[in-house]
Amino acid sequence: MKMENKHNFEKKVIEVVFIILIIKIIYSLISGFYLSSNQFIILMFTTVIFSVVLYNILKKLTSLGNNKNSYNQGLGNNVLLESSVYNTLEQKYRDLAKEYIKNKEYKKAAHVYMKLLKDNYTAANVLYEGGLYIEVATIHLKYLKDEKKAAECFEKGNAYTDALKLYEKHNNFEKVGDMYVCLNNREEAKKWFYKTVNQEIASGQYVKAALLIRNKIKNVTEAQQLLLDGWEKGIQREDCLSNYFHFIQNQNSIDEEIKTIYDTKTNDNNKRIFLQVIKKQFGKNEQLDKNIRTISYEIVAEYIDKNPEIVSELNYLNAQNTTFTKDALRFKLNKRRN
């Protein structure tokens, strides 16, 4: 019985050595593509020596089967040995990959991660670190099944046509437009940008839509009109009007626009919001300040009976005048009592 147990364990030892030898030979063959002929011969020779030494070490462990539990002990040690050997081999591959990275040999490092360690994600990160974006995109596309990430990497690697196809597949219309711009096809790009504009308008994002028209379609007039539409329709009202004034470069034009919008595009529903917007324009020039002050007083006077609190909105006009602030507070208190 003891002889049979010993024989079984010895058979297991041989199997482990055989598996490791095969793995080492495969690794040697793969590595051979990156090594000179002399280096490859040395690697193969050390592989054989390593296998022989390992076999003799493991064979000596058969002496553990001298008591009643020798068979069970042999099996347990066999499992631990296999695990230890594989862990050692894995660590050796990882050390090799790190050495390649240290030497900026990113393709070789990625090869070790993919082929020997079966770690595609780390392989992709290594290639990205090395600026090999097309190769990274291929890994994300074929192995990691992440088309969105693949599209980003194709774009970063200037493979605009490949990126375009993936962006279109995932309905990223703005990025499709960007890719057409990179391919010097602005007319086609505009079609896709307008698809994005329509999406943003449909979801009530007038500011985003206007910025897209301004920055990518390059139509300033249309962008400004869309912001005004948002103001009139009550969609992102304050942000639309704030951006509308922000993009007017000429200070005299801002003055005229404020008066025109106040006269023609304000009502009971939006005058207080209009007041909040024009506050941001105060302090830019003397003439503009004069008109903003006049409009602000008019709006406050219109609503002060119904809402005495509105008088505090005028504090920004008299930031240095503490008497005015006290008077405004006194006025609100008297109105409340009445």
Side-chain angles (χ1 to χ4, degrees), residues 305-317:
D305 288 335
K306 295 180 180 179
N307 181 14
E309 302 288 336
I310 197 173
V311 71
S312 62
E313 297 288 356
L314 298 176
N315 288 342
Y316 81 97
L317 298 172

Side-chain angles (χ1 to χ4, degrees), residues 238 242 271-280 313:
E238 184 173 344
S242 294
K271 277 188 179 179
R272 292 197 63 175
I273 297 174
F274 184 79
L275 178 58
Q276 299 303 318
V277 173
I278 62 175
K279 279 183 181 182
K280 302 171 186 175
E313 297 288 356

Side-chain angles (χ1 to χ4, degrees), residues 9 39 49 71 83 88 114 132 137 143 151 172 176 178 195 212 237 239 245 253 259 262 314-315 319:
F9 183 64
Q39 289 175 322
I49 296 298
Y71 180 67
S83 176
T88 301
M114 286 188 70
L132 301 167
Y143 301 104
N172 193 334
V176 173
D178 289 338
K195 287 186 178 184
L212 186 60
R237 185 173 277 162
D239 288 339
F245 290 139
S253 296
K259 288 190 292 184
Y262 176 62
L314 298 176
N315 288 342

Side-chain angles (χ1 to χ4, degrees), residues 21-35:
L21 179 60
I22 292 298
I23 293 172
K24 285 287 290 180
I25 290 173
I26 292 173
Y27 168 64
S28 299
L29 290 173
I30 293 173
S31 300
F33 289 109
Y34 304 114
L35 303 174

Side-chain angles (χ1 to χ4, degrees), residues 49-113:
I49 296 298
F50 172 78
S51 301
V52 171
V53 171
L54 181 62
Y55 172 75
N56 287 327
I57 292 172
L58 294 177
K59 189 175 180 180
K60 289 181 180 180
L61 294 174
T62 57
S63 61
L64 295 173
N66 292 326
N67 53 43
K68 292 181 181 179
N69 297 320
S70 62
Y71 180 67
N72 292 331
Q73 289 177 345
L75 287 177
N77 284 320
N78 188 25
V79 172
L80 290 174
L81 278 171
E82 287 186 30
S83 176
S84 176
V85 170
Y86 281 120
N87 288 339
T88 301
L89 194 58
E90 178 183 347
Q91 188 57 50
K92 184 175 181 180
Y93 291 150
R94 293 192 180 279
D95 292 341
L96 177 63
K98 289 178 182 178
E99 187 66 25
Y100 282 141
I101 294 172
K102 182 179 178 181
N103 296 329
K104 300 187 182 303
E105 297 178 281
Y106 299 105
K107 283 189 176 181
K108 292 182 179 180
H111 187 86
V112 171
Y113 280 116

Side-chain angles (χ1 to χ4, degrees), residues 134 150-151 153-169 175-176 178-185:
I134 304 300
C153 293
F154 276 132
E155 179 184 356
K156 202 166 180 64
N158 300 329
Y160 301 123
T161 301
D162 292 320
L164 185 155
K165 293 175 181 177
L166 292 173
Y167 282 135
E168 183 176 354
K169 181 178 179 181
K175 294 302 294 184
V176 173
D178 289 338
M179 295 304 96
Y180 275 117
V181 170
C182 293
L183 294 168
N184 297 315
N185 190 342

Side-chain angles (χ1 to χ4, degrees), residues 203-239:
S203 61
Q205 298 295 318
Y206 274 53
V207 174
K208 283 185 179 180
L211 291 176
L212 186 60
I213 293 171
R214 170 180 288 275
N215 297 329
K216 295 195 174 181
I217 299 175
K218 307 297 183 184
N219 191 327
V220 174
T221 302
E222 184 181 355
Q224 290 293 84
Q225 184 57 53
L226 184 60
L227 291 171
L228 271 184
D229 290 345
W231 164 255
E232 291 188 80
K233 293 176 181 178
I235 303 173
Q236 293 190 298
R237 185 173 277 162
E238 184 173 344
D239 288 339

